[in-house]
Amino acid sequence: MSRNDALRAARLRVGWRSMEAAAAALTRHGQQLLDDTHFNVSPRSWRRWEGQEPGWPLEETALVLHHVFGKWPEDLGFTTPPGWFRPEHHEEATMRNAGFLTVTAAALVPGPTAPQHVDPGLVDYFQSQLEGHYRADMLLGPHDLIGTLGPQYQLIDKLTRSATGDTRRRLLRVGAAYAALVGWLYQDAGDLSAAAFWRGVTQEVALRARDPHLVGYAMVNSAQVRTDLGDGAGVVDLCEAALDDDQVVPKIRVMAMQQQAHGASLMHDRDAVDRLIDGAGRILPRDDDDLPWGNACRRTPGYLEVQRATCYGRLGLGAEASDLWSQVLDAVPATARRDRGVYMARHATAAATAREPEQAVEIARDVAVIAVETGSARMRRELATLERAMRPWQDAPVGRDLAEALAPVTEGS
């Protein structure tokens, strides 16, 4: 087996069926990534790379290969020259996440870039894409979209560096929305380090745009990560900061109050949970802005009762949470497959907490199918919570039924 097999396999994984197509695609990608119209990879070079003696690519080509495949040349079958160090070797000593460079690449492109004319119509183009991305997220899950959204954010960032006046401010606003969505995708994929990084990018860009609504939105986004980290006090701090600005649109107040309820549930305060969600419910009818981001509270059926049921489950109120989930799930469309799977997993845990293990297993069978299809780490995490709730029955037949139902998920982990 020759050393070119790794590069060939990587090429085929991204859909480049021939070496000629790969050379052309890498050329286009490199010109955009490096902002260099002279960057070029010839079919002859690619054929040599997949041959018996692939040699070693130029440093800028190595960077482009890594950006496309997520691997450095020595992992793609190239012959490593003596004394070569990966460009990020100094940072690797302090990075716990080996994929950190790939995660941050779209947001940390060095500049300045070559100036260019930026038509204001481009802002409308990027805004029009957002709703489609939100819908695709519900249908596909995170992994297929991360690779699409990162380069789009990178292009927005590049255009922002050349734009001026109102066009620049509007690009910053849409860029913050894209960064927030990338952060959410990483969070749903279970990479909280990457999610926290992109939430930070969202906050920075929102501040640069001087948009108080986006700043509030960014703080709620950061609070979501804190919720997944189990930091109730951190969640409350961020949400209270978002609510300090009386001028933010009702949507931000609704989002901040429901997220603060999650923080309260982590701190075992049921009264605060109900008070915050009830208060958000009184504000929700006033949510009528035309902002293209942060519209889950409109788009999600039973949005606030979903939050209440989740908080109740976290508080150990199994019967009450189970009753709420039964009502909520009746309204969730089958097209919202990923969200429906997460809710069903929480329903199963609530049933187990309410001492209804057979019902929990019945629900879990359907969740396992969705978890495998979407690759949602959130759903897998909810199923792990279910397994803990089912420990009293682990040696009983119903416990073995659960293990069988979740086998496709655990085997694919």
Side-chain angles (χ1 to χ4, degrees):
M1 185 177 292
S2 59
R3 296 189 63 179
N4 66 330
D5 288 341
L7 180 61
R8 180 176 182 274
R11 162 171 68 81
L12 294 175
R13 273 196 299 272
V14 298
W16 297 346
R17 309 306 299 177
S18 69
M19 288 183 276
E20 289 74 18
L26 196 72
T27 295
R28 291 192 299 270
H29 193 93
Q31 288 176 351
Q32 182 179 17
L33 178 67
L34 303 172
D35 194 26
D36 180 3
T37 57
H38 299 294
F39 178 83
N40 181 68
V41 174
S42 68
R44 180 180 178 182
S45 294
W46 196 287
R47 284 193 292 271
R48 185 182 74 252
W49 292 347
E50 290 198 19
Q52 294 287 344
E53 298 180 359
W56 187 254
L58 297 172
E59 182 174 347
E60 64 179 13
T61 306
L63 291 171
V64 178
L65 286 165
H66 179 268
H67 197 265
V68 171
F69 298 122
K71 296 181 178 181
W72 292 104
E74 71 268 33
D75 300 319
L76 293 168
F78 289 86
T79 305
T80 307
W84 185 81
F85 292 97
R86 295 181 178 186
E88 85 287 13
H89 73 281
H90 295 295
E91 289 84 357
E92 280 186 342
T94 59
M95 290 179 183
R96 295 184 180 179
N97 183 353
F100 193 75
L101 187 65
T102 301
V103 166
T104 63
L108 298 179
V109 177
T113 58
Q116 65 184 107
H117 171 70
V118 182
D119 191 290
L122 285 168
V123 181
D124 297 327
Y125 163 74
F126 287 116
Q127 286 182 340
S128 70
Q129 298 283 306
L130 270 175
E131 185 58 35
H133 290 319
Y134 291 139
R135 288 197 302 270
D137 168 46
M138 289 190 293
L139 295 170
L140 289 173
H143 299 287
D144 291 319
L145 285 179
I146 287 173
T148 298
L149 269 293
Q152 284 193 305
Y153 174 83
Q154 190 177 74
L155 177 56
I156 293 170
D157 178 59
K158 178 187 173 187
L159 294 171
T160 300
R161 301 183 191 196
S162 293
T164 58
D166 184 61
T167 299
R168 184 172 184 275
R169 187 70 55 81
R170 292 174 64 212
L171 274 171
L172 284 167
R173 288 172 180 154
V174 76
Y178 271 76
L181 182 52
V182 175
W184 161 247
L185 292 173
Y186 275 114
Q187 187 172 347
D188 190 35
D191 190 340
L192 294 185
S193 296
F197 169 83
W198 279 96
R199 300 311 199 190
V201 172
T202 305
Q203 185 83 349
E204 176 202 314
V205 180
L207 288 166
R208 288 168 58 195
R210 296 171 178 82
D211 186 322
H213 312 303
L214 268 173
V215 172
Y217 179 54
M219 283 191 281
V220 174
N221 276 230
S222 294
Q224 290 178 347
V225 177
R226 286 280 131 195
T227 299
D228 279 2
L229 290 171
D231 178 9
V235 175
V236 171
D237 288 343
L238 286 161
C239 293
E240 286 180 343
L243 291 166
D244 278 346
D245 190 339
D246 293 332
Q247 298 181 352
V248 294
V249 292
K251 172 170 66 186
I252 301 303
R253 304 196 72 77
V254 169
M255 294 177 65
M257 292 174 76
Q258 63 82 20
Q259 200 62 45
Q260 187 174 341
H262 287 283
S265 72
L266 287 165
M267 300 170 77
H268 312 291
D269 189 344
R270 178 186 176 162
D271 289 342
V273 167
D274 287 327
R275 183 178 68 253
L276 287 160
I277 292 179
D278 290 345
R282 290 190 289 273
I283 298 172
L284 187 57
R286 307 206 309 265
D287 175 18
D288 61 355
D289 63 75
D290 59 358
L291 298 172
W293 43 263
N295 292 315
C297 53
R298 302 174 190 168
R299 191 170 54 242
T300 306
Y303 174 75
L304 290 175
E305 293 312 301
V306 165
Q307 315 311 321
R308 194 191 306 267
T310 302
C311 290
Y312 280 5
R314 197 179 285 124
L315 288 164
L317 304 173
E320 292 168 89
S322 186
D323 287 344
L324 276 175
W325 284 124
S326 295
Q327 299 170 36
V328 166
L329 284 162
D330 284 343
V332 177
T335 52
R337 191 160 178 76
R338 192 272 321 280
D339 285 348
R340 186 174 180 82
V342 170
Y343 302 160
M344 290 171 66
R346 292 173 182 169
H347 186 194
T349 299
T353 305
R355 314 285 304 174
E356 297 289 347
E358 289 80 8
Q359 182 187 12
V361 173
E362 182 180 349
I363 298 168
R365 293 187 193 281
D366 292 332
V367 180
V369 175
I370 303 173
V372 172
E373 289 179 355
T374 62
S376 170
R378 276 200 312 151
M379 210 177 306
R380 291 174 184 268
R381 191 165 58 245
E382 296 293 347
L383 289 174
T385 302
L386 169 61
E387 288 182 295
R388 289 193 293 272
M390 287 286 291
R391 280 176 184 166
W393 301 277
Q394 63 184 358
D395 295 324
V398 71
R400 292 191 288 274
D401 289 343
L402 179 69
E404 179 184 347
L406 299 186
V409 180
T410 54
E411 289 169 2
S413 299

